[in-house]
Amino acid sequence: MELAIIVLNWNAATDTIRCIHTISTWRRLRPIIWVVDNGSTDNGAEIIYQECPYVHLIRSETNLGFAGGNNLGISQAIAVAKAPILLLNNDALIAEEDAAQLLDTLQTVPHIGFVGPLLLDAEDRKQLLAAGGRNPVFHHHSHIRKLNPGEPIREVEYVVGTVLLARPEVFQQVGLLDEDYFFSMEVADLCMRARRQGYISVVDTRAHAYHALGRSSRLRETLHTYYIIRNRFLFISKFYSGPLKLLLRGFWTLYSLALGTKLVLSGKPATAQAVRLGLLDGLCGRFGGQNERVLACVIHPSSNQAQT
């Protein structure tokens, strides 16, 4: 079966090479691997090129975020072939039989646009991280973390982007990931747009994948927090209007203010500052990549006025 796999690399060549080597052991699928180096500053692209010369390496001069980086790979993969596209985090693991199960499901039901596996913690393989996701502006925690009895194929509002298999024609009809998000909620946005074109998103509970959360934990209290807070406002502005839009903006404003206060009282000023910046940028409509600015503000709080 044909399959294109897209892996992003950003200053984590060791993880990316490990991920590539795992895929390279597959025998039934033999996918085409696209690696997008997302503006790494550690010579990671050259290391990957030397260690894995058989992959298609795309180099970006700047960090385009999850959305922009994957869009580079998706565009190239679609231009070469019309094979299904698997987005795979470099710190995630999926076995060949599980990837094959996702492919079988995608090809069996024509109106499935996206399919994902059960996503489990790589360190504790009994811990469910996500069985798909729910609307992120209607839920505080949008990942579905409880698996109820039922059919193996479950419709969800979005598939988590850590491991996501997509029908290539969906991108041609609906468009690519919205790069204004940069990181977080861009997949929920894509699945929402696809649903309006008649494509559903599902999780196949027979397929499992594993995510090593610890490798990105140092960013979760700052950058991840900033984008999660900010991007809810972008999602609201794109999909809602009238009184509901005002209600959602008001709710997430109050939530962010309360969270920021709680974090200050808990002795986490850097995370509190990330929340504050996310709220201000969300309300003001400042989207796209803000990594350098956010990190400068949370590491050097005295520079906040100049940065904001």
Side-chain angles (χ1 to χ4, degrees):
M1 287 184 281
E2 291 186 340
L3 176 65
I5 298 183
I6 298 170
V7 180
L8 292 189
N9 178 69
W10 182 53
N11 296 328
T14 300
D15 288 343
T16 300
I17 292 168
R18 183 187 297 113
C19 180
I20 294 168
H21 284 169
T22 300
I23 299 168
S24 300
T25 65
W26 294 1
R27 292 294 176 261
R28 175 184 171 192
L29 299 180
R30 294 186 179 274
I32 299 173
I33 304 172
W34 299 83
V35 174
V36 180
D37 183 71
N38 224 355
S40 294
T41 57
D42 63 354
N43 200 36
E46 192 60 35
I47 296 171
I48 293 167
Y49 177 76
Q50 293 174 1
E51 292 286 330
C52 309
Y54 48 88
V55 306
H56 296 270
L57 180 62
I58 303 171
R59 303 180 193 231
S60 172
E61 292 299 320
T62 59
N63 183 358
L64 302 175
F66 182 89
N70 274 302
N71 282 348
L72 284 180
I74 293 166
S75 298
Q76 290 292 323
I78 290 175
V80 171
K82 305 304 180 189
I85 295 172
L86 179 69
L87 304 185
L88 180 63
N89 274 26
N90 63 356
D91 58 357
L93 171 68
I94 184 169
E96 182 176 21
E97 58 269 25
D98 294 295
Q101 179 62 58
L102 297 181
L103 276 168
D104 289 341
T105 299
L106 189 71
Q107 294 171 345
T108 300
V109 185
H111 63 286
I112 290 178
F114 308 98
V115 57
L118 294 182
L119 189 63
L120 305 166
D121 190 326
E123 302 301 323
D124 178 4
R125 295 197 167 196
K126 293 182 179 181
Q127 181 179 348
L128 178 64
L129 299 178
R134 303 170 292 190
N135 189 314
V137 300
F138 289 153
H139 297 88
H140 177 209
H141 297 293
S142 64
H143 286 184
I144 299 169
R145 298 199 174 191
K146 182 179 180 181
L147 189 65
N148 295 317
E151 295 297 317
I153 299 176
R154 318 281 183 92
E155 185 172 352
V156 293
E157 292 188 86
Y158 73 91
V159 175
V160 177
T162 307
V163 184
L164 175 150
L165 183 67
R167 194 179 297 277
E169 53 265 36
V170 175
F171 295 111
Q172 296 170 320
Q173 295 180 31
V174 176
L176 300 174
L177 295 162
D178 186 340
E179 297 182 18
D180 279 346
Y181 288 95
F182 193 77
F183 173 83
S184 177
M185 297 188 199
E186 60 281 284
V187 174
D189 175 292
L190 177 64
C191 293
M192 175 81 86
R193 287 185 279 131
R195 182 180 297 275
R196 294 180 174 183
Q197 297 292 326
Y199 291 103
I200 65 170
S201 302
V202 304
V203 164
D204 190 329
T205 62
R206 295 167 295 189
H208 296 174
Y210 304 92
H211 191 195
L213 292 175
R215 296 180 195 169
S216 57
S217 60
R218 65 185 179 86
L219 299 176
R220 293 187 180 278
E221 293 188 356
T222 53
L223 292 180
H224 290 198
T225 297
Y226 165 82
Y227 287 115
I228 289 170
I229 294 294
R230 187 199 70 175
N231 287 348
R232 281 195 174 99
F233 292 92
L234 176 56
F235 196 94
I236 292 167
S237 70
K238 290 188 65 175
F239 295 109
Y240 301 98
S241 60
L244 181 56
K245 178 179 181 178
L246 293 175
L247 179 63
L248 288 170
R249 282 174 63 91
F251 173 84
W252 288 112
T253 296
L254 293 175
Y255 167 85
S256 300
L257 291 171
L259 177 60
T261 301
K262 178 181 177 181
L263 289 166
V264 169
L265 295 176
S266 300
K268 297 180 178 180
T271 310
Q273 179 65 359
V275 169
R276 172 181 171 272
L277 287 173
L279 173 59
L280 290 175
D281 286 358
L283 292 173
C284 296
R286 178 184 278 175
F287 300 116
Q290 300 290 336
N291 283 10
E292 292 183 5
R293 172 173 159 268
V294 172
L295 289 176
C297 287
V298 300
I299 295 172
H300 304 290
S302 61
S303 66
N304 288 349
Q305 294 222 333
Q307 296 292 335
T308 57

